[in-house]
Amino acid sequence: MGPDQKTGSRSLLYSLTGAFSLSYLDRQILNITLNDIGVEFNLTDLQLGSLSGIAFAIVYVFFGFPIARITKSGNRKKIVVIALSLWSGMTILMGTAGSYTMIFLARMGVGVGESGCVPPSHSMIVDSYPPEKRASALSFYSAGNNIGVFFAFLIGGILASQFGWRTAFFVAGVPGLLLALFMFFTLREPIRPSHEKEFDQPRISYKQLLKLLVSDQSTLHTLIGAALTAMTAYGAVSWVSVFLIRSHGLSIVQVGIFLAFAIGVAGALGTWLGGVVCDQLGKKNPTWRLKFVAISILITKPFSILFYLLDHTSLALSVFIIPAVASAMFAGPTFSHLYSRVAPTARPMVTAIFMCMVNLIGLGLGPILVGLISDLLSSAHGDQSLRYALATLQSFALWAAIHFWLAGRLTSENHAAS
């Protein structure tokens, strides 16, 4: 890879990461304002959970499959630009909602737009970087979710407290429209590396591809582990601001600033470093990319549970930093593993399958499960029911660690056999 190509790869990675960051800004701006929206529309925790999760996840998954199917070299830039424009516009529309139904439908519109973000972006990134650098590049891209969360909590917390939650949605949507215009004129599609063109094949059906993926035991365990980890992460991030307001009496500004730096800055650094460490560990033995994910989960999740159960606010916030750093470390190694198992032409479809599992199980089920458990416990624990619901959710991440370890061990066996 020559100097010009390296510069082009970095420029492409920065632009796509920027778009991905804005997708999470527009997705997560709801969570910092969730308590205010619930008060205005008199909503239950179950309704808030459905608004945060299922309203987005269902359409994201439904539209994600056909978009990935039509994604190919030559039209990927167009898909990203159109998608970015759509979800940004829908975010602005959420700020005009006059009822729960209206904001629910606008939230669905955000999901439609964001379904066109990841598959073409990942396809372009993978074409721009050699296999030994893909986990790092994909982890850098995945850190965009933490960057988006940073601005969602920071901007959302400040604006919602000063001007109301609707203003936060207006401000969150505008940058995406500007970036879409910039990318339309400057972003260039990468050319597939010559050494991978020989692996190009006619596109297969989703049924055939899914059969291929699940027939590989290491990949099956990776998919299950990622889905369970995402369910824990999405459920937690959707409700953590409400939890801190209810259980610790923090203001929305205090919550926004703390979460912006804890999840946004520390989390982004952890996600990127996780990919770098995994690439280093995987140079001689690729199995450690997935085993590292399992170890990071087992080390950090007890701190997550402790965070929810502690009454001392300062101590709880300090403990929270540890799981925040490792919350998305699984993303880069997971994608790197999945893409190594299929032909280049199938990668956008693999992304769609993965995002289906992550969003339907993770974002669709995580927040609503927390809301349901909280409502069920409310008669016994009152406002503190959310505390125990969130602590209970963390057990799914420990389950996920088992699958990531098994995935790494099975990859080790395949590596040794080859």
Side-chain angles (χ1 to χ4, degrees), residues 375-397:
D375 281 346
L376 291 174
L377 296 176
S378 62
S379 59
H381 299 283
D383 286 344
Q384 299 304 308
S385 62
L386 185 59
R387 174 194 301 270
Y388 302 107
L390 286 164
T392 301
L393 186 70
Q394 300 305 308
S395 61
F396 288 96

Side-chain angles (χ1 to χ4, degrees), residues 274 277-278 281 287-297 329 333:
V277 171
C278 286
L281 292 173
T287 70
W288 278 102
R289 290 191 177 101
L290 296 173
K291 288 181 179 178
F292 173 78
V293 175
I295 293 171
S296 69
I297 292 173
M329 278 187 176

